[in-house]
Amino acid sequence: MDQVIDSIDTSSAVLLSDTDFKYAISKNIKNSSKYDNYKNSKLIQQTISSLKYSNKMISSIYVFDYINKRGFSSEMSGYISEQHLYEHGWLEWLRNSKNRPDWIILKDTISSDYNITDSSMLSSKKNITSPNSIDATFYININQNILNQKLKKMHIPKYANLWILNQNNDIIASTQTSNLFDFSPLFSDDATTNNTMIYSFNNTKYFISYNISSQTGWKYIFTLPKNKAYENINNLSTTILIVSILSIFVVMAFAIYLYTIIYTPIKNLISAMNKNKKGKVSLCPTDNKKNEFSILINSFNSMVTKVDTLNRKLLQQEISEKNAQIKLLQSQINPHFLYNILDTINWIAKINNVTEISDITLSMSKYYRLSLKEGKEIVSVSEAIQLAKAYLDIQQIRFRDNLDVYIDIDDNIMNCMILKRLFQPILENAVTHGIGKKGSNGLIILSGIDMGETMKFIIEDNGIGMDKEQLDALKSSITGMDFDKSGNYALKNLNTQIKLFYGDDYGIEIASEYKKGTTITIEIPKIINS
């Protein structure tokens, strides 16, 4: 019996040492969202349900949260609100049991329909405390009938009975349905921890042997009528033989049981793994048993399903990318024809001594040549800078002497690979919304810094800038879920490309001050051109 108590105490210790459970039950959820409340309740419910199924001796587990005034039961899903606690008598039940000792006999227990029923339980009560208060109380319950049945299954002589009493001599379990004995006179204050004697109850003499547990103080008592003792001795040899034969069958049955519950699931899991290894999506057969193997198989099936879903999405993405490339190639109608036209315009401008038209035509020719080069979207930093420089050359002609450009890139990163149009949308916004609104003395600085494992690019302008409200609106638009058709589309599109290509940890950062300018920073992983 001490092993049963140790088992329940171990389960209690598991619950008390579970930091996630203690945090969830001690958390004040008053100001939490509905989703956070759902996750909080689900964690508590799953924890006590898993603990119940991990120990066959546990009949049920109750948890009462004093902070949030709610209850949980392993026999019900979700939590029981304060209203249900009140309406079904839980609050009264809790007040009556709150100050009971650690091990108690519950004569009033809680059924799955919220009501209190008269079903006797042996319960281990533990408190979850903070420095100044009790945050919650949980009860790990053992149905007394289970204990009685365990005692009745023990091989004891005919007419003999076993009894388990607590410190107050209350009967916790016995092999006899009715209590015909008063054991109190046997246990005085100076009673020994074990003894054997002959004692009379109701004019019948009994052999009585007892042992007092040093761990719990409980009494384990064996009783046998004296006139029946010698009758049992004659049948002892036969009983030993029968028990030996039965033990052999029990061991064999247990071995078959282990083979069924361990080897078969492992064999099925290995078979499914080999099929998936060969490229055939295959789920492992499972059942409704709640054990470690079902958890493992369900996890494997979930992983296979997710991998198959991701593979399908990847295939669809590759198809979409191919279609996009085809559309891109279709849109690039004879770029050589475009270069020839621009070259013709350049020569006409030179013949007529229109230098500005010649310069802007050469810059446009260079820009489109770099932009359309081989349809590549990933280029070196050096090539991306050339593309940015060609665009800025055009804008400098447009703004005449009202736009200065300064480019400073670390040599160590010039051969690293980046998105081809990483700078283009930012430069366009700097020119259009920053320098264009300012009108004069414009300055754009493009810097590239080697950060070791990453690269940091900074684009600064001294344009009109933004106030805090405009800046917050821009940031919200860029990181929001919906694409709009406002001027923020280009930056939002760029931010999305960065996250898709480099990961969700990367993106653009914006800082701005009204009438002083705007700074946009991009830090991305360093990809070496191999």
Side-chain angles (χ1 to χ4, degrees), residues 136-188:
T137 300
F138 66 87
Y139 296 80
I140 299 181
N141 307 315
I142 308 172
N143 193 311
Q144 275 192 286
N145 291 331
I146 296 177
L147 298 178
N148 293 338
Q149 291 301 321
K150 287 184 70 70
L151 292 181
K152 289 179 180 179
K153 290 180 181 179
M154 297 181 66
H155 296 288
I156 59 175
K158 189 177 181 181
Y159 307 112
N161 283 294
L162 294 175
W163 311 77
I164 301 176
L165 278 62
N166 65 9
Q167 301 95 321
N168 298 326
N169 297 323
D170 298 323
I171 296 175
I172 295 173
S174 69
T175 56
Q176 185 167 305
T177 56
S178 60
N179 181 18
L180 303 177
F181 302 97
D182 179 13
F183 293 107
S184 299
L186 299 179
F187 303 106
S188 58

Side-chain angles (χ1 to χ4, degrees), residues 279-460:
K280 180 182 179 181
V281 177
S282 176
L283 299 180
C284 180
T286 184
D287 51 37
N288 295 324
K289 294 179 181 178
K290 301 293 184 180
N291 54 38
E292 290 78 3
F293 289 107
S294 64
I295 294 173
L296 179 62
I297 290 172
N298 289 334
S299 298
F300 172 79
N301 288 342
S302 176
M303 180 191 68
V304 170
T305 302
K306 288 180 180 179
V307 169
D308 183 52
T309 301
L310 290 174
N311 285 336
R312 292 176 183 274
K313 288 183 178 179
L314 182 60
L315 178 61
Q316 186 62 41
Q317 182 179 350
E318 289 177 352
I319 293 173
S320 299
E321 289 177 355
K322 291 293 184 182
N323 290 336
Q325 289 178 2
I326 292 172
K327 290 180 180 179
L328 177 63
L329 292 173
Q330 290 172 344
S331 67
Q332 297 173 4
I333 302 174
N334 200 355
H336 294 288
F337 175 75
L338 177 62
Y339 301 153
N340 291 336
I341 292 296
L342 291 174
D343 188 54
T344 301
I345 295 172
N346 174 46
W347 282 107
I348 293 173
K350 283 186 175 182
I351 292 172
N352 291 278
N353 294 318
V354 185
T355 307
E356 289 183 348
I357 293 179
S358 175
D359 292 342
I360 199 169
T361 303
L362 287 174
S363 296
M364 287 180 64
S365 177
K366 180 179 180 182
Y367 174 81
Y368 282 111
R369 184 175 64 256
L370 293 170
S371 180
L372 300 175
K373 182 181 179 182
E374 299 177 1
K376 292 181 179 179
E377 292 300 320
I378 309 300
V379 298
S380 67
V381 173
S382 175
E383 290 173 311
I385 293 298
Q386 291 180 42
L387 182 62
K389 183 69 169 60
Y391 171 76
L392 291 172
D393 286 344
I394 296 171
Q395 297 304 322
Q396 283 185 302
I397 295 171
R398 170 192 170 191
F399 283 94
R400 298 182 180 274
D401 296 329
N402 289 319
L403 176 61
D404 291 328
V405 175
Y406 180 70
I407 299 177
D408 182 20
I409 308 296
D410 285 352
D411 292 337
N412 295 341
I413 63 174
M414 291 297 277
N415 290 325
C416 294
M417 306 303 289
I418 61 172
L419 295 170
K420 179 166 63 178
R421 294 178 178 82
L422 187 67
F423 308 123
Q424 185 71 23
I426 302 174
L427 294 174
E428 289 180 5
N429 271 270
V431 170
T432 304
H433 300 293
I435 306 302
K437 291 182 179 180
K438 182 179 180 181
S440 61
N441 299 322
L443 173 63
I444 294 177
I445 301 175
L446 171 57
S447 306
I449 306 171
D450 185 356
M451 304 295 291
E453 296 294 326
T454 62
M455 304 176 287
K456 181 181 289 186
F457 296 99
I458 304 171
I459 297 96
E460 304 171 78

Side-chain angles (χ1 to χ4, degrees), residues 2 6 58 91 155 273 280 332 372 390 403 461 508:
D2 281 354
D6 286 340
I58 298 176
L91 291 179
H155 296 288
M273 292 174 67
K280 180 182 179 181
Q332 297 173 4
L372 300 175
L403 176 61
D461 70 70
I508 63 177

